[in-house]
Amino acid sequence: MIVLKLLGITLLFVAVFIYDFSSVEPNKKKERAAIAVITFAGWVVAVMLLIAPGLPGPTEWINQVTKPIWVIFYPEG
């Protein structure tokens, strides 16, 4: 069953990638690279959460990374 879910996620991301990638002009290489990187990163996060659903989500990762910065602004919290 997990293989079918993985296949579905992959097909969905491929469809999104093809749609987004083809909508950008061929001479805009940086935009195309950004689309590829963001789509691949989203696919990796989706697969990781499919394989290990107990992993923290992306917002929890961001909170852990920015926590030292918020301590500077709000030392009592």
Side-chain angles (χ1 to χ4, degrees):
M1 188 68 174
I2 198 165
V3 174
L4 290 177
K5 290 179 183 178
L6 180 63
L7 182 63
I9 289 171
T10 302
L11 290 176
L12 180 67
F13 273 92
V14 166
V16 168
F17 175 75
I18 290 171
Y19 177 76
D20 285 342
F21 200 74
S22 65
S23 67
V24 177
E25 296 175 16
N27 59 347
K28 296 187 177 183
K29 298 195 184 308
K30 288 183 181 178
E31 289 183 19
R32 286 182 161 223
I35 289 171
V37 168
I38 291 170
T39 304
F40 180 72
W43 179 81
V44 168
V45 170
V47 170
M48 285 173 43
L49 291 175
L50 175 68
I51 293 172
L55 288 176
T59 53
E60 293 177 34
W61 297 345
I62 293 171
N63 288 340
Q64 288 297 320
V65 170
T66 60
K67 191 175 186 177
I69 297 170
W70 288 113
V71 170
I72 294 170
F73 294 114
Y74 302 104
E76 64 276 343

